[in-house]
Amino acid sequence: MKRKWIAACFVLCLLSGIVTGCNEKTGKPGTPTAGADRTEYMDKTVVTIDGVGVGYREIMLYLQSAKQEYESAYGDEIWSYILKEDGTTLGEWVKNRTLEQVIYVKTVCAQAKKMGIELDSEEKKRVAERTEEYMGKAEYGTLALYGIARKDVERVYSDTALAQKVYDSVTLNVDTDISDEEAAQKHFQSLMLKNYHEDESGNRTALTVQELIATLDRFDSLYKEAQTTADFYSLAYANTDDREYLDIMTGEGELPEEFGAVYSLAAGEAMQLRAENGYYIFYCASEYDEDATIAKKEELISLRQEEAFRALYDEWQSGSEIEVNEELWEVIGSDLNAVKNEDK
């Protein structure tokens, strides 16, 4: 399956989940709290893209789906987790990411009309089925809390399907001819001995002279064994200090520069390397892995398609006028921290 750059896939993934019920606790001023009446927001426009408004209900459908997706994986206490040095929380990041998805979908759908692209009867049927499935699983309390109706869910699925169709149409004629040489993947295994100690805080200290000599002696002994063993992987697994490169598929030029020489190895050959953080033995298990090469071709094709579409999308967006109701957006974002599954 191709890896898509487009935001529509993120949206589809989120909407495959179930919107859960909500429980809210008292928050800061302006934050929705237990029993808060959201009807004053329900008919307001949150963001306008080239004159097309996106309302509160639709935004909350995106945002609550994102909330469910993340909480299913990490729990409901994650939203205050600091992601960046500037103090950005996961909640703020998800909120801003969600807005980007909405802007993306609406921008691409606007281009669909200009390009004469629309959903056919089968695609509309699939949208209706997904809508029905979603409504059947959704918690009534959450839908009522934010005023989310069937038409809002159907609109999101329809827009997402249309955006995907535009992407497929635009990238249909992108050159997909990738040679075996360009995509070729070799299979390597390795073991590594550290040249430092590391404490629980990640602070490193150099080995003593005696420790360094012992490490180098062990390194040389392992290298001799690596040249005769019939099972390098087991040798590496049992002795390595770092498993980052324990068993990898890679193409020429994809490894860090300090490991570049290993790509010259033939199948069954091993090589010693000394890097900044320690001592490595790389072993070539296979000079050509067919499955990994096919997967690499698909990845390279997707990258070409993504680059072609990104250039076009950037052109579309550069001429767009986007207005956000900042006051309402601030209130909406607080739900990520406040909602606590009241209906369960």
Side-chain angles (χ1 to χ4, degrees):
M1 181 175 289
K2 296 187 293 182
R3 177 175 57 85
K4 300 292 190 182
W5 163 74
I6 59 171
C9 285
F10 175 85
V11 175
L12 279 173
C13 179
L14 294 181
L15 289 180
S16 65
I18 304 172
V19 176
T20 59
C22 303
N23 175 21
E24 298 170 295
K25 61 183 180 181
T26 302
K28 63 184 179 180
T31 300
T33 55
D37 184 3
R38 287 173 172 77
T39 55
E40 63 177 296
Y41 309 128
M42 290 180 183
D43 294 321
K44 289 187 177 181
T45 297
V46 179
V47 58
T48 303
I49 303 129
D50 288 336
V52 177
V54 184
Y56 172 87
R57 304 167 194 260
E58 190 172 344
I59 290 289
M60 288 311 304
L61 180 57
Y62 280 90
L63 197 59
Q64 287 302 305
S65 295
K67 175 183 171 62
Q68 170 66 12
E69 182 76 9
Y70 279 85
E71 289 187 356
S72 293
Y74 306 109
D76 62 6
E77 302 296 332
I78 63 171
W79 301 109
S80 59
Y81 178 79
I82 304 297
L83 287 179
K84 300 180 180 180
E85 292 182 0
D86 63 6
T88 299
T89 65
L90 178 63
E92 291 167 337
W93 184 86
V94 170
K95 184 180 78 164
N96 292 330
R97 174 69 169 159
T98 300
L99 182 61
E100 290 176 7
Q101 311 310 316
V102 173
I103 292 172
Y104 163 81
V105 171
K106 295 300 183 180
T107 299
V108 176
C109 285
Q111 294 299 319
K113 295 180 180 180
K114 298 177 182 178
M115 299 168 69
I117 297 174
E118 58 184 24
L119 299 181
D120 60 29
S121 58
E122 283 301 313
E123 290 163 338
K124 290 178 180 178
K125 180 180 178 182
R126 179 57 180 152
V127 167
E129 290 172 350
R130 291 182 68 92
T131 301
E132 198 66 31
E133 179 184 1
Y134 187 91
M135 295 300 294
K137 293 179 178 179
E139 289 282 355
Y140 173 77
T142 297
L143 298 179
L145 182 65
Y146 301 111
I148 297 171
R150 182 183 301 273
K151 64 180 181 181
D152 301 310
V153 177
E154 187 170 24
R155 184 185 304 113
V156 170
Y157 278 125
S158 180
D159 284 352
T160 301
L162 185 58
Q164 182 66 61
K165 193 166 185 177
V166 171
Y167 179 92
D168 292 339
S169 175
V170 167
T171 61
L172 183 64
N173 296 319
V174 171
D175 182 15
T176 59
D177 184 17
I178 305 290
S179 68
D180 284 349
E181 182 178 0
E182 184 179 357
Q185 298 287 291
K186 278 190 171 185
H187 183 189
F188 293 101
Q189 296 163 347
S190 76
L191 68 83
M192 179 266 201
L193 300 182
K194 294 179 179 179
N195 62 5
Y196 61 88
H197 294 296
E198 186 172 4
D199 63 23
E200 295 180 354
S201 300
N203 300 313
R204 296 183 179 184
T205 56
L207 301 180
T208 65
V209 173
Q210 291 81 2
E211 289 172 333
L212 182 59
I213 292 173
T215 297
L216 290 173
D217 286 343
R218 183 179 173 219
F219 182 60
D220 288 336
S221 177
L222 287 168
Y223 181 58
K224 290 178 182 178
E225 190 173 352
Q227 295 180 76
T228 58
T229 182
D231 186 2
F232 179 85
Y233 179 83
S234 293
L235 175 69
Y237 189 89
N239 290 279
T240 190
D241 290 338
D242 189 326
R243 294 178 180 172
E244 181 178 2
Y245 301 109
L246 176 65
D247 193 51
I248 60 171
M249 304 290 180
T250 186
E252 188 169 9
E254 294 178 2
L255 284 170
E257 186 175 351
E258 59 185 341
F259 300 141
V262 306
Y263 208 77
S264 64
L265 289 172
E269 292 182 342
M271 174 184 288
Q272 287 178 305
L273 285 172
R274 300 192 179 190
E276 182 179 353
N277 63 339
Y279 310 98
Y280 288 82
I281 299 172
F282 274 88
Y283 173 81
C284 180
S286 171
E287 291 183 63
Y288 179 82
D289 188 282
E290 184 174 4
D291 289 341
T293 299
I294 291 172
K296 186 64 177 182
K297 282 186 177 183
E298 293 178 352
E299 178 185 345
L300 292 174
I301 289 170
S302 285
L303 285 173
R304 286 185 181 180
Q305 292 173 327
E306 290 164 10
E307 289 170 359
F309 191 84
R310 181 186 292 273
L312 191 56
Y313 177 73
D314 287 346
E315 181 181 327
W316 292 341
Q317 195 179 39
S318 66
S320 297
E321 293 185 8
I322 301 170
E323 297 180 10
V324 178
N325 183 330
E326 297 291 352
E327 183 177 351
L328 184 53
W329 185 237
E330 178 67 23
V331 171
I332 285 175
S334 65
D335 274 350
L336 284 175
N337 295 311
V339 175
K340 297 294 179 184
N341 300 327
E342 181 178 48
D343 293 333
K344 288 187 175 181

